[in-house]
Amino acid sequence: MNLFPMITTTIFTLIMLCSMSVVVHVQGKQPYVGLATTACGQTGNSNSMRGYTCNGVNPSCQAYLTFRAQPLYNTVPSISALLGSDSSQLSVANSVSEDGTFETNKLVIVPINCSCSGNNNNQYYQFNTSYEVERGDSYFVIANNTFEGLSTCQALQDQNNIPEGDLMPGNELIVPLRCACPSKNQTEQGVKYLLSYLVASNHIVWLIGERFGVSSETIVEANTLSSQQPIIHPFTTLLVPLQDEPSSNQTSEPSPPPSTPPPPPLSSSSGRSSKTWVYAVVGVVGAIALISSVLCAIVFRTRYLKGGNKRKDDSLIVSDSFVAVAIEKPQEKKLEEEESENLAEIISGISESFKVYRYEELQSATNGFSPSCCIKGSVYRGFINGDLAAIKKIDGDVSKEIELLSKVNHSNVIRLSGVCFNGGYWYLVYEYAANGYLSDWINIKGKFLSWTQRIQIALDVATGLDYLHSFTSPPHVHKDLKSGNILLDSDFRAKISNFRLARSVEREGSEGDQYVMTRHIVGTRGYMAPEYLENGLVSTKLDVYAFGVLMLEMLTGKDVADVYAEGNIANLFDVLSAVLDEEGEHLRLSEFMDPSLKGNYPMELAVFVARMIETCIKKDPASRPDMHEIVSSLSKALDSSLRWETSMERKFRFYKGFLN
Ligand SMILES: *[C@@H]1O[C@H](CO)[C@@H](O)[C@H](O)[C@H]1NC(C)=O
Ligand SMILES: *[C@@H]1O[C@H](CO)[C@@H](O)[C@H](O)[C@H]1NC(C)=O
Ligand SMILES: *[C@@H]1O[C@H](CO)[C@@H](O)[C@H](O)[C@H]1NC(C)=O
Ligand SMILES: *[C@@H]1O[C@H](CO)[C@@H](O)[C@H](O)[C@H]1NC(C)=O
Ligand SMILES: *[C@@H]1O[C@H](CO)[C@@H](O)[C@H](O)[C@H]1NC(C)=O
């Protein structure tokens, strides 16, 4: 009986159901409204579109709204009249005079007093302003077009006793504007104000964070967004937690990407100060991140809408953002193509860490992506400038992987040498690993790794992970470690690959590991640690667990799913304790070891490694060792293995001599 898939599916369904309804309010964060703002007729269960819940420390506070100047509302007096803000405070906040005018689309900071109101059951943070209905207005037009998303049709309907159909020019409406006060956790982290940022098209969380000096993780958390795919939409509010008052120098829009070839090389900017140069680079990097993420989001959506295009890998993906994505109509396909033309040029303009390839170069390197060049799935082998390279075609967001790999330089982490974007797909060009995937060496009959090779590979993987956990800043978790993501070079040295799920975990204070919560459970069956599956906890100990599973596969020569199935167990830990706790532990262990080793391994070391795996896959993440300890254990194991190998060779030579 193969119970494993059934059990995991059930667990996942439960997690999905729970994560959608419960998690949001418990943590004192505010759910992002998303596309719900357009669903005016509906009064669904989610109240998030009526306002931010009153879960802050104080019932009222100083807060900030943002507004983009439009022809009708483009002066200090007209904007403060529309939004009910104090015009002198508004002029100070934006460093303009009290009758100052803003350029169209200029972001204006609007200081307001935010407070909690409503009846006992439905309390929302809001700031009331009043508005006189004009010809052609509907609740949606008022909320979206006039107030640019600072209010929602649901909130307007809720707080004005006029049915939609009875709206008449001249009606006086109360317009609740979306603001919020910091929660306890935010206050403890030094957050003083929340700014209701109006998302514009092409904006991404990271860039908004850059502008206000706030990490994208903080914004993702404050708005309960998915950390893997933080998708945001124009004409919605995104809360930005601020430690200081926002300043007018944060309101200028990042300059749009050039439509003609990239800006002149740096030498021509010699007259500028070095600081301006830094801002310019930040701007361009931002623009790239922005475009690529928008492109990816669009590509992603359209793929999902095609429906038939099911994911082929064995990763399990559970995410509410996918649900939201699937109901959206495809748009802006043209924009995608136009912008993709610029993308390569822009990237090449600044990038020093990787090369940008033309699609034609990759085509000729791979005989037009012919099946004969296919390594596996969407990975192709190609000759580029006389060197072999692996070219991976990717459908989806690669920004994390590119960002991480551009910072990392380690012999046990695969090297990204170039990128290409074409026809809605990304192509990433990696160093070539001659011996392919570790998973093939575990699963395919006729391929065989010696004991010492296995220990060397394990040590390589552990060293690469230790580097990610302890020597990148901020520390990173790979999150999808498995034999299918480990590559072997011509000397059977291992390189960790596929960083699409990797994420950073900020380490605070000096003690212990930092945990991050996520609602987005992604990974591969059998490799995911229990605390992640059950509670969405992310820490470096996830990789330690997966590393234990990987070593188990190398020891037994079996896929982890088969280990579960054959052992007929629910918890991997039980397999090892059954093997190791017996009196004759050697005997049981030798039955457990990969038969293709034919007993050619030092039994003491096999026990040592099995004990190590046992600690890696402990249920309690805190009792698992960290990668640093594993590296030092495995270094010892490798030394002993090499000595054992030498002694075996000596014996072999001895017998051989004897026979001759
Ligand atoms: C907010 O409150 C302060 C003092 O409580 C007051 O001076 C200020 O005018 C208020 N601002 C608005 C926009 O009502
Ligand atoms: C805003 O308007 C609503 C609806 O009239 C009212 O219940 C609430 O008390 C007002 N809030 C504030 C802060 O004035
Ligand atoms: C919301 O308002 C903007 C600005 O007027 C407009 O361009 C956009 O189409 C509106 N959104 C919808 C869904 O109508
Ligand atoms: C918020 O704070 C509480 C208690 O201070 C803590 O238990 C909880 O984990 C915190 N949540 C987050 C997401 O930091
Ligand atoms: C923006 O203004 C604030 C205070 O007004 C100042 O501290 C900060 O250095 C300025 N930032 C830039 C990038 O000029």
Side-chain angles (χ1 to χ4, degrees):
M1 270 276 284
N2 198 348
L3 272 177
F4 175 64
M6 252 170 66
I7 295 169
T8 23
T9 316
T10 320
I11 295 174
F12 270 85
T13 317
L14 287 177
I15 291 173
M16 189 157 143
L17 290 176
C18 297
S19 68
M20 280 180 169
S21 49
V22 188
V23 186
V24 169
H25 292 281
V26 187
Q27 297 297 324
K29 297 176 258 179
Q30 302 283 6
Y32 174 65
V33 279
L35 290 170
T37 49
T38 53
C40 292
Q42 291 163 24
T43 43
N45 294 333
S46 165
N47 285 332
S48 62
M49 56 269 211
R50 300 218 188 92
Y52 290 116
T53 34
C54 295
N55 58 13
V57 183
N58 297 316
S60 66
C61 62
Q62 165 82 62
Y64 296 91
L65 306 175
T66 53
F67 188 78
R68 288 206 168 70
Q70 291 305 321
L72 279 179
Y73 305 102
N74 63 353
T75 60
V76 172
S78 60
I79 294 173
S80 29
L82 178 72
L83 300 179
S85 162
D86 182 284
S87 59
S88 59
Q89 286 181 21
L90 195 145
S91 71
V92 171
N94 295 282
S95 311
V96 291
S97 65
E98 286 210 26
D99 57 359
T101 304
F102 299 100
E103 287 165 39
T104 299
N105 281 328
K106 169 85 178 165
L107 191 73
V108 178
I109 295 170
V110 184
I112 47 123
N113 296 333
C114 186
S115 57
C116 184
S117 59
N119 58 37
N120 288 342
N121 294 330
N122 287 319
Q123 293 210 312
Y124 303 109
Y125 277 124
Q126 62 188 43
F127 174 70
N128 288 347
T129 182
S130 58
Y131 174 77
E132 196 183 303
V133 176
E134 291 175 3
R135 192 178 290 275
D137 273 349
S138 67
Y139 282 124
F140 179 75
V141 168
I142 296 169
N144 173 76
N145 300 53
T146 308
F147 287 90
E148 302 180 354
L150 283 175
S151 189
T152 64
C153 49
Q154 295 91 347
L156 279 167
Q157 249 158 341
D158 223 36
Q159 302 195 11
N160 290 284
N161 289 325
I162 309 172
E164 170 94 55
D166 296 350
L167 274 186
M168 299 287 274
N171 285 157
E172 228 11 77
L173 298 182
I174 284 176
V175 182
L177 301 177
R178 297 171 64 82
C179 59
C181 298
S183 68
K184 185 161 175 291
N185 282 22
Q186 286 169 331
T187 309
E188 280 163 4
Q189 284 158 29
V191 171
K192 290 211 195 73
Y193 315 103
L194 291 175
L195 174 127
S196 305
Y197 184 79
L198 276 179
V199 177
S201 56
N202 293 358
H203 275 189
I204 58 167
V205 172
W206 180 74
L207 205 61
I208 297 169
E210 285 289 294
R211 167 184 284 202
F212 293 100
V214 178
S215 77
S216 53
E217 281 82 10
T218 311
I219 299 179
V220 161
E221 194 168 302
N223 296 275
T224 359
L225 288 165
S226 147
S227 58
Q228 295 298 326
Q229 295 283 337
I231 296 172
I232 52 178
H233 308 274
F235 302 101
T236 58
T237 55
L238 185 74
L239 290 176
V240 180
L242 298 177
Q243 304 205 341
D244 302 299
E245 294 173 12
S247 95
S248 59
N249 56 17
Q250 293 164 331
T251 58
S252 50
E253 296 289 333
S255 49
S259 49
T260 40
L266 297 172
S267 56
S268 67
S269 66
S270 53
R272 299 182 206 161
S273 75
S274 61
K275 227 176 179 186
T276 358
W277 180 83
V278 172
Y279 292 135
V281 171
V282 169
V284 181
V285 173
I288 290 166
L290 185 151
I291 296 167
S292 38
S293 102
V294 166
L295 287 177
C296 290
I298 294 169
V299 168
F300 209 67
R301 273 175 222 157
T302 42
R303 294 279 149 215
Y304 261 80
L305 281 161
K306 283 180 195 156
N309 217 334
K310 295 267 151 56
R311 292 188 160 260
K312 291 189 190 73
D313 60 4
D314 52 353
S315 301
L316 285 170
I317 300 204
V318 178
S319 156
D320 47 355
S321 65
F322 288 163
V323 179
V325 159
I327 56 171
E328 206 188 5
K329 295 195 186 76
Q331 301 173 327
E332 304 175 69
K333 187 84 185 135
K334 244 195 200 146
L335 184 119
E336 170 197 335
E337 259 130 40
E338 280 168 19
E339 297 207 355
S340 70
E341 301 302 323
N342 296 332
L343 188 70
E345 289 175 8
I346 297 163
I347 296 177
S348 67
I350 62 138
S351 174
E352 283 163 12
S353 11
F354 43 77
K355 182 171 160 47
V356 176
Y357 290 100
R358 282 180 299 113
Y359 183 62
E360 294 71 40
E361 291 178 80
L362 301 188
Q363 259 185 324
S364 73
T366 56
N367 285 335
F369 292 93
S370 86
S372 64
C373 292
C374 182
I375 300 176
K376 188 183 199 175
S378 58
V379 186
Y380 294 81
R381 181 189 304 109
F383 272 101
I384 295 183
N385 304 329
D387 284 330
L388 266 173
I391 300 157
K392 189 174 180 185
K393 179 176 176 182
I394 297 178
D395 176 5
D397 187 359
V398 293
S399 52
K400 290 227 157 147
E401 174 150 11
I402 294 180
E403 190 194 336
L404 177 60
L405 289 181
S406 69
K407 285 191 279 194
V408 165
N409 181 12
H410 191 275
S411 62
N412 298 123
V413 173
I414 199 79
R415 190 167 48 78
L416 177 68
S417 59
V419 302
C420 169
F421 186 82
N422 183 272
Y425 290 93
W426 282 95
Y427 297 84
L428 302 189
V429 181
Y430 299 96
E431 68 177 302
Y432 186 71
N435 280 308
Y437 295 96
L438 173 61
S439 51
D440 291 347
W441 291 89
I442 292 173
N443 294 324
I444 296 180
K445 289 246 175 312
K447 285 194 163 189
F448 169 80
L449 295 168
S450 75
W451 167 263
T452 311
Q453 279 174 324
R454 292 179 205 213
I455 296 299
Q456 176 70 67
I457 289 166
L459 176 59
D460 286 342
V461 175
T463 309
L465 286 177
D466 186 31
Y467 174 79
L468 281 180
H469 293 178
S470 306
F471 301 99
T472 58
S473 174
H476 279 79
V477 180
H478 183 283
K479 274 189 73 195
D480 197 17
L481 187 76
K482 58 176 171 183
S483 49
N485 283 337
I486 304 297
L487 288 163
L488 301 176
D489 72 5
S490 52
D491 297 323
F492 288 97
R493 299 301 297 267
K495 289 167 192 294
I496 304 172
S497 75
N498 195 355
F499 290 81
R500 289 183 70 192
L501 300 184
R503 62 163 294 170
S504 59
V505 278
E506 297 283 349
R507 207 182 283 267
E508 278 173 17
S510 54
E511 291 295 311
D513 291 273
Q514 181 72 10
Y515 289 91
V516 181
M517 301 277 289
T518 179
R519 290 197 295 151
H520 182 100
I521 307 293
V522 193
T524 303
R525 281 172 213 271
Y527 281 93
M528 285 182 280
E531 74 277 10
Y532 180 61
L533 275 175
E534 286 161 19
N535 301 318
L537 283 178
V538 177
S539 76
T540 52
K541 294 297 171 73
L542 282 195
D543 287 346
V544 174
Y545 184 92
F547 179 78
V549 177
L550 180 85
M551 287 228 55
L552 191 67
E553 289 188 336
M554 283 202 281
L555 215 64
T556 58
K558 288 189 192 105
D559 201 80
V560 62
D562 296 334
V563 176
Y564 269 103
E566 287 173 23
N568 196 12
I569 40 117
N571 188 338
L572 210 52
F573 190 73
D574 299 341
V575 176
L576 275 171
S577 27
V579 174
L580 290 172
D581 288 352
E582 295 282 318
E583 283 284 321
E585 63 181 15
H586 290 205
L587 200 66
R588 289 294 312 273
L589 185 61
S590 56
E591 288 167 15
F592 188 68
M593 297 288 287
D594 183 356
S596 62
L597 282 167
K598 297 199 176 78
N600 282 323
Y601 54 88
M603 185 49 93
E604 295 76 14
L605 280 179
V607 174
F608 175 83
V609 171
R611 292 241 178 266
M612 197 181 78
I613 297 173
E614 201 182 17
T615 62
C616 291
I617 59 178
K618 282 198 167 155
K619 191 163 190 303
D620 172 21
S623 25
R624 290 174 211 150
D626 58 34
M627 271 301 156
H628 199 64
E629 296 167 56
I630 295 173
V631 168
S632 93
S633 299
L634 282 174
S635 310
K636 286 181 209 139
L638 182 64
D639 282 348
S640 308
S641 301
L642 289 167
R643 279 201 300 278
W644 166 83
E645 205 171 70
T646 321
S647 75
M648 291 306 283
E649 274 163 14
R650 224 179 281 134
K651 261 186 215 159
F652 179 72
R653 272 200 301 276
F654 173 76
Y655 286 122
K656 216 177 152 200
F658 191 72
L659 288 173
N660 287 343

